[in-house]
Amino acid sequence: MASQEKCRIIDHQKVGPQHYKLVLASDYLSKHAQPGQFVQVKCSDTLDPLLRRPISLHQISPEHKTFALLYEVVGKGTNELTKLFVGENLDLFGPLGTGFQLDSQRNKHLLVGGGMGSAPLLALAERLTGQVSILLGAKTAANILAEADYNKLGHNVAVITDDGSKGKKGLVSDLLLERISQDSVVYACGPKSMLRAVAEICWQKKVDCQISMEERMACGIGACKGCAVKTKGGYKMACKDGPVFKGEDIIW
Amino acid sequence: MVDLSLELAGIKLKNPVMVASGTFGWGQEFADYLDLNKLGAIITKSITLKPREGNPPPRIVETPAGMLNTIGLQNEGLEHFLRNDLPFLSKFNTPTIVNIAGESVAEYVELAKRLSKEPMVKGIEVNISCPNVAHGGMAFGTEPEATKQVISAVRKETTQPLIVKLTPNVTDITVIAKAAVAAGADALSLINTLVGMSIDIETGQSRLGRLTGGLSGPAIKPIAVRMVYETARAVNVPVIGIGGIMTGNDAVEFLLAGAKAIQVGTANFVDVTASLTILKGIEDYVDRHPRSLNFS
């Protein structure tokens, strides 16, 4: 169950050209949140921006009673967040949604992150055991996020960029094609075109794949039917049925 | 604590705060977060005769102090509601008012007929104001003759309290209001959303999957207050005020404009407990101004 609470800001750093990392304190959230879930963030006390902004959990640390959010400034709401100082409180509602299913049957995990999509995969990488490979793609080197945090976990990390400014030149789905094998399980987050490519590769290779979808959202609890994702079982809600779906279920 | 109870169109309410159709699901979604027993009434999301899958995404976009939506009445249909949702709502000591939407007069009539047999349904709100469907919806709420036709047909089928939810997308809302009352409405609720549009200037495309959507939230509140004021003076049935109510003070504005009760909509998305905070705000106001509203 989600809780609405005001969480104290422990740290707030700029980590990319338009990217910031917020570390927040909460017993409840750090204890109950699962990788792939998100929180609804109240970005301001005024009427504009009005709705909360859904932001995925980037790190979940029950031992420190903290969690982190990684966000990109894309509009009014996220721009408001940049003004917050350490020590201030942020009104959050969460954890929400259905996160990643940690597949203990397989031990070869491929995490595929495109751009901001690498944010929620870190929380997953922290929980996975076995052979974990992280594939990160972005437009340019500056947009590769959280690489150091992934490296710290001791997992294998490969990077690719659209312009070749870091790693190979190409798309993260190219890396996936090189690495994927029958005994893999794939977890992906990123832009829709990338997720579609990942889902198609996994379908062809008959590999299970979980993808985290992004949709504009209002309530966050499945009531308003706003964040519809088209699936083989009809429209599902990104906020409740997702944001993590089986790749094979999505109708692109 | 002040007593804000009232009787509206024959429905006994503990207080004048209802939750608006489409913003509170079927109650269950919110039950973990607030005590549903404390609400004046719960208005369900629109029920249609057959299941509806809803409109293609994106279905939502935020605009200054408001939001556009084009959900398209996604719901599992009447049978599913009666089997799965109504039993849950019936557990609470808060009247359930079922919002109905049809593509034809016959569908509205069938819905009303079936719901009349359900003792746990305490009222019907007729949605003749949905701007996001191809057939029916707002078409019944923008022509007084069409309003009369659908409401009188529904009236014949039910003795349940009948609330008619009006659209603001008309030249003169009092014309439709009078038509609904003449056809047998026991109360009117207003306003539904205003038809709006938002364009992504980088792609040149609408930000919504279905071109236009319904605008809600604080941005529409002054229009809603004005329309409630006009309507309350034009008809002799109770008016329920809806439109951008975020605080108790917002609600009081509607009550002063002539509304007997209010519905909380978009605010439910921002804060799951908004309806109860708003109720507290009304109580505080009545404490401070004991004679300015008719609760006594």
Side-chain angles (χ1 to χ4, degrees), chain B residues 150-173:
Chain B
V150 69
I151 300 307
S152 50
V154 167
R155 178 76 287 172
K156 281 193 198 101
E157 294 301 332
T158 183
T159 52
Q160 291 271 21
L162 211 55
I163 302 167
V164 178
K165 186 165 178 178
L166 302 181
T167 173
N169 301 292
V170 288
T171 311
D172 182 352
I173 197 164

Side-chain angles (χ1 to χ4, degrees), chain B residues 25-141:
Chain B
W26 286 274
Q28 202 149 355
E29 294 86 345
F30 281 80
D32 283 341
Y33 306 114
L34 73 148
D35 183 356
L36 301 187
N37 290 310
K38 291 189 172 158
L39 295 168
I42 294 171
I43 322 275
T44 68
K45 181 164 166 59
S46 285
I47 310 292
T48 53
L49 208 48
K50 301 265 164 55
R52 281 184 66 99
E53 73 162 1
N55 289 337
R59 292 178 174 183
I60 279 177
V61 62
E62 184 166 322
T63 55
M67 62 179 279
L68 289 166
N69 87 78
T70 173
I71 309 297
L73 301 180
Q74 178 174 341
N75 80 103
E76 304 281 347
L78 177 68
E79 295 302 330
H80 184 275
F81 169 75
L82 293 177
R83 216 171 37 244
N84 298 287
D85 302 309
L86 188 58
F88 176 81
L89 286 167
S90 304
K91 288 192 282 191
F92 298 91
N93 177 29
T94 291
T96 296
I97 297 172
V98 181
N99 183 294
I100 60 171
E103 291 191 7
S104 63
V105 171
E107 285 189 9
Y108 281 103
V109 166
E110 180 64 18
L111 283 158
K113 204 193 260 179
R114 294 288 305 280
L115 289 166
S116 294
K117 295 177 189 144
E118 298 293 335
M120 291 319 288
V121 174
K122 301 300 179 196
I124 296 174
E125 184 178 64
V126 189
N127 179 0
I128 52 165
S129 43
C130 177
N132 299 321
V133 290
H135 304 286
M138 208 172 81
F140 289 110

Side-chain angles (χ1 to χ4, degrees), chain A residues 1-2 4 42 47-53 76 93 215-219 221-226 228 235 237, chain B residues 25 29-30 32-33 45 53-62 64-66 71 74 207 218 246 269-272:
Chain A
M1 195 182 116
Q4 189 173 320
K42 197 155 192 305
L47 298 175
D48 184 21
L50 178 68
L51 299 170
R52 289 170 183 264
R53 297 294 187 265
K76 267 182 210 162
F93 181 51
E215 279 297 334
R216 283 201 293 262
M217 219 172 254
C219 73
I221 54 173
C224 73
K225 309 292 176 201
Y235 283 120
M237 296 304 125
Chain B
E29 294 86 345
F30 281 80
D32 283 341
Y33 306 114
K45 181 164 166 59
E53 73 162 1
N55 289 337
R59 292 178 174 183
I60 279 177
V61 62
E62 184 166 322
I71 309 297
Q74 178 174 341
R207 290 184 194 272
M246 304 298 288
F269 301 154
V270 180
D271 179 348
V272 282

Side-chain angles (χ1 to χ4, degrees), chain A residues 123-134:
Chain A
L124 175 66
E126 288 176 333
R127 301 272 169 105
L128 286 173
T129 53
Q131 187 192 334
V132 181
S133 298
I134 321 289

Side-chain angles (χ1 to χ4, degrees), chain A:
Chain A
M1 195 182 116
S3 99
Q4 189 173 320
E5 58 176 305
K6 289 196 163 63
C7 300
R8 196 164 46 86
I9 299 169
I10 307 288
D11 195 25
H12 194 188
Q13 301 280 339
K14 192 170 187 193
V15 295
Q18 291 294 325
H19 307 82
Y20 294 79
K21 182 176 174 179
L22 264 172
V23 181
L24 296 133
S26 165
D27 286 5
Y28 186 86
L29 270 154
S30 62
K31 190 173 166 195
H32 295 281
Q34 296 299 318
Q37 288 191 301
F38 66 95
V39 289
Q40 284 274 62
V41 181
K42 197 155 192 305
C43 299
S44 102
D45 289 331
T46 67
L47 298 175
D48 184 21
L50 178 68
L51 299 170
R52 289 170 183 264
R53 297 294 187 265
I55 300 180
S56 65
L57 290 143
H58 179 49
Q59 285 173 308
I60 306 163
S61 312
E63 66 281 15
H64 299 118
K65 298 182 173 174
T66 63
F67 63 96
L69 306 176
L70 182 63
Y71 67 92
E72 180 179 14
V73 178
V74 290
K76 267 182 210 162
T78 42
N79 191 51
E80 284 300 311
L81 291 182
T82 64
K83 300 171 186 169
L84 293 168
F85 290 102
V86 170
E88 288 186 291
N89 289 326
L90 186 57
D91 181 343
L92 294 168
F93 181 51
L96 295 165
T98 305
F100 292 105
Q101 303 296 311
L102 272 64
D103 190 334
S104 53
Q105 302 297 308
R106 318 264 177 107
N107 68 355
K108 193 176 170 193
H109 307 279
L110 281 172
L111 280 56
V112 189
M116 273 307 292
S118 63
L121 296 176
L122 184 63
L124 175 66
E126 288 176 333
R127 301 272 169 105
L128 286 173
T129 53
Q131 187 192 334
V132 181
S133 298
I134 321 289
L135 314 180
L136 300 179
K139 284 200 176 82
T140 67
N143 292 294
I144 294 287
L145 301 167
E147 190 189 355
D149 291 314
Y150 281 108
N151 280 323
K152 254 186 246 167
L153 295 174
H155 300 318
N156 181 304
V157 182
V159 171
I160 192 163
T161 50
D162 292 3
D163 63 357
S165 55
K166 183 155 197 177
K168 276 204 223 173
K169 184 175 175 173
L171 299 172
V172 74
S173 47
D174 302 339
L175 278 182
L176 175 65
L177 260 180
E178 287 171 18
R179 306 289 182 99
I180 197 167
S181 60
Q182 287 286 323
D183 56 344
S184 313
V185 53
V186 171
Y187 314 81
C189 186
K192 218 165 248 179
S193 56
M194 176 211 121
L195 293 178
R196 182 177 182 167
V198 167
E200 280 169 2
I201 290 167
C202 293
W203 185 76
Q204 279 162 11
K205 304 276 181 189
K206 298 188 171 57
V207 163
D208 283 344
C209 122
Q210 300 179 31
I211 58 176
S212 180
M213 303 286 287
E214 194 179 28
E215 279 297 334
R216 283 201 293 262
M217 219 172 254
C219 73
I221 54 173
C224 73
K225 309 292 176 201
C227 55
V229 171
K230 195 163 197 177
T231 74
K232 287 175 184 163
Y235 283 120
K236 300 282 183 192
M237 296 304 125
C239 70
K240 198 175 179 188
D241 307 307
V244 178
F245 293 90
K246 284 183 175 174
E248 70 214 47
D249 286 347
I250 304 295
I251 295 175
W252 300 97

Side-chain angles (χ1 to χ4, degrees), chain B residues 179-197:
Chain B
V181 172
D186 297 310
L188 303 174
S189 53
L190 57 137
I191 58 177
N192 203 320
T193 57
L194 284 140
V195 180
M197 192 170 176

